[in-house]
Amino acid sequence: MHAGESVWRELAPRTLARLLRTYGSDQFELCEDAVQDALLDAFRQWTDRLPDDPQAWLATVARRRYVDRVRADARRRERETRATMLDAPLAQDTTETGSDGLDTGSDDALLVLQLCCHPDLPRSGQVALTLRAVAGLTTRQIANAYHVPEATIAQRITRSKRRLTELDRAFPQPQHVHERLAPVLDVLYVMFTEAHHTTSGAPAQDTDLAAEAIQLARTLRNAAPDSTEAAGLLALMLLTEARHPARVGPRGQLIPLDEQDRHRWHRPFIDEGLAMLDEVTPGATPGPYLLQACIAGLHAAAADAEATDWDEIHALYTVLEHQTLGRNPTITLNRIVAQSMVEGPRVGLAALEVLAHEHPQLARLDSVRAHLLERSGRIDEAIAAYQRAIRVTVNVAEQQYLRHRLHRLKR
């Protein structure tokens, strides 16, 4: 019986971290290749049952694969000089403790996050490399999250690996988390976004990836307890994930927020997220993640859709839009949705046309337009907009939802 995807996602970054500690961060590309080789071996061999200690097994095989790769590459003298390091015990460090007393086994994924977010790498490269190395996302998934071609993401990952090899810096320690906090937050946000709204839409949500993102956000929150943005991101994840039981129907169909059975929301996550906001928001200068968490908190606190404080949500999105200098069209789109709930769909449609002129290829543009047209009673135009939205949507679950709305209008 093969291990579930959550097992691979947990073991891979920890194994990569162990190799990097042994051989150096300048060997990032070789270490990552060795881990991938070991994962392939594990997939082939763990067919009946898992080994007694999967992490130790994978670390041992990964080190052997690293040895094989170094010995096979005689072209680089630097790698040849590492031959003396190759006889180290292969099954060591099943449990490691860092210099600060932390159990590094529980923090390895965060350590790899910090390495990939090296300050000498461009932000775009930091995010792309980490999403591959830690989250295990494909280039297509990463490209979808950033609305750029796959080839661009592949180039960023390759260049970042080469740059890490050139740097030859020591593996980062947990106390350095503040130096790289912003890109780490960005990576975890994209990771959770992909989990909550998968690229393919089949399934509509990747629950294992969402759980991994939340666990990493908890680790980051513990490592940076004075960061309101780390707290905001974790609260945002908890409040968003709380809606999952009511967001996806029994056949995998998406259920919009205003139609969800709020009794099915996961109350412990809501209570934890709201309590975190109560703790960190007073007196804080909110950043983008804390602002988004506050918006999610308003949705969570409302007894039903009609009780939602859309005035406050619109105000928060306006602040968020100004804070990000209007460079994120998705935030503007969400602000327009909130504005339409306050001022009516006609105002929302007018604002949407301005956004469409600036960003004609923006995802969800036609689906939001269709919804606002439907609310305005312009049914024929709404039907046409739903049809356009279906044609440009690659997410299967979202396509299914849009078709449902379209069929309802055609009756």
Side-chain angles (χ1 to χ4, degrees):
M1 180 178 181
H2 281 298
E5 191 171 353
S6 60
V7 174
W8 307 118
R9 283 178 173 151
E10 178 183 355
L11 296 179
R14 292 184 178 183
T15 305
L16 178 57
R18 294 184 181 195
L19 262 63
L20 291 169
R21 283 196 186 92
T22 302
Y23 303 118
S25 61
D26 62 318
Q27 297 294 296
F28 184 92
E29 188 164 11
L30 269 181
C31 290
E32 188 189 32
D33 289 342
V35 171
Q36 294 301 316
D37 290 345
L39 288 171
L40 184 58
D41 288 345
F43 186 80
R44 290 168 175 165
Q45 296 183 40
W46 297 359
T47 54
D48 297 324
R49 66 181 182 85
L50 297 181
D52 294 336
D53 190 340
Q55 184 68 81
W57 189 100
L58 201 61
T60 299
V61 174
R63 285 193 179 93
R64 288 173 179 160
R65 295 295 172 262
Y66 176 85
V67 169
D68 293 341
R69 284 180 173 271
V70 171
R71 285 177 174 160
D73 192 347
R75 291 175 299 174
R76 295 195 58 177
R77 184 174 301 175
E78 178 185 355
R79 292 174 183 169
E80 291 176 347
T81 62
R82 295 178 177 270
T84 57
M85 301 173 61
L86 303 181
D87 293 327
L90 293 177
Q92 65 183 7
D93 75 8
T94 54
T95 300
E96 301 175 6
T97 302
S99 59
D100 58 355
L102 293 175
D103 175 7
T104 56
S106 64
D107 291 327
D108 275 344
L110 181 57
L111 291 174
V112 177
L113 268 170
Q114 292 172 293
L115 175 62
C116 294
C117 293
H118 197 288
D120 286 350
L121 297 180
R123 174 63 64 87
S124 59
Q126 292 172 342
V127 174
L129 181 60
T130 311
L131 290 173
R132 276 291 300 275
V134 178
L137 300 188
T138 64
T139 53
R140 181 188 179 193
Q141 290 173 315
I142 302 170
N144 179 73
Y146 282 93
H147 308 296
V148 297
E150 288 185 52
T152 301
I153 294 298
Q155 289 176 349
R156 290 177 185 175
I157 293 171
T158 299
R159 290 170 183 167
S160 297
K161 288 179 181 179
R162 290 174 180 169
R163 182 60 180 146
L164 281 182
T165 299
E166 295 168 358
L167 291 170
D168 194 14
R169 300 289 181 85
F171 196 83
Q173 295 300 313
Q175 60 263 32
H176 298 156
V177 66
H178 288 281
E179 298 175 10
R180 306 174 187 184
L181 185 60
V184 169
L185 288 168
D186 290 348
V187 166
L188 292 181
Y189 179 76
V190 174
M191 183 177 174
F192 183 77
T193 299
E194 171 61 29
H196 186 68
H197 189 81
T198 61
T199 298
S200 67
Q205 174 155 344
D206 188 332
T207 54
D208 290 337
L209 184 59
E212 177 70 10
I214 291 173
Q215 181 57 44
L216 286 170
R218 289 189 189 279
T219 303
L220 185 62
R221 165 74 169 146
N222 291 333
D226 57 339
S227 168
T228 55
E229 280 294 84
L233 179 61
L234 177 56
L236 174 62
M237 289 182 178
L238 292 170
L239 293 167
T240 303
E241 184 65 11
R243 300 199 296 264
H244 172 62
R247 177 177 175 266
V248 181
R251 296 183 300 279
Q253 73 275 22
L254 293 176
I255 301 175
L257 181 62
D258 59 344
E259 297 179 13
Q260 291 175 14
D261 179 359
R262 301 190 177 211
H263 293 96
R264 299 189 61 206
W265 287 2
H266 188 61
R267 197 71 222 177
F269 275 3
I270 292 177
D271 292 341
E272 183 182 358
L274 292 178
M276 198 172 301
L277 291 180
D278 289 340
E279 176 187 349
V280 303
T281 301
T285 301
Y289 295 119
L290 185 55
L291 284 170
Q292 291 179 76
C294 290
I295 292 170
L298 288 170
H299 284 299
D304 51 46
E306 294 182 358
T308 303
D309 190 346
W310 284 106
D311 284 298
E312 184 66 16
I313 290 175
H314 179 222
L316 288 171
Y317 268 125
T318 301
V319 173
L320 181 60
E321 187 178 20
H322 286 307
Q323 192 176 83
T324 55
L325 304 178
R327 294 174 180 170
N328 189 328
T330 300
I331 290 175
T332 301
L333 183 64
N334 290 334
R335 189 263 300 163
I336 291 173
V337 172
Q339 183 180 12
S340 72
M341 297 301 294
V342 176
E343 302 178 21
R346 292 184 180 180
V347 174
L349 283 167
L352 194 66
E353 291 311 308
V354 176
L355 179 62
H357 178 74
E358 298 173 350
H359 301 278
Q361 303 302 319
L362 180 62
R364 294 179 54 234
L365 196 64
D366 277 314
S367 59
V368 171
R369 180 186 284 111
H371 180 64
L372 294 180
L373 288 168
E374 182 180 352
R375 285 179 53 201
S376 299
R378 295 158 62 177
I379 303 304
D380 290 341
E381 293 174 83
I383 289 173
Y386 275 124
Q387 290 171 336
R388 289 194 303 271
I390 291 169
R391 285 196 298 270
V392 301
T393 299
V394 298
N395 184 285
V396 175
E398 190 173 340
Q399 281 183 351
Q400 183 183 23
Y401 166 72
L402 292 171
R403 287 194 178 96
H404 171 73
R405 302 285 301 196
L406 176 62
H407 293 159
R408 190 165 63 178
L409 282 183
K410 285 184 172 181
R411 289 176 183 173

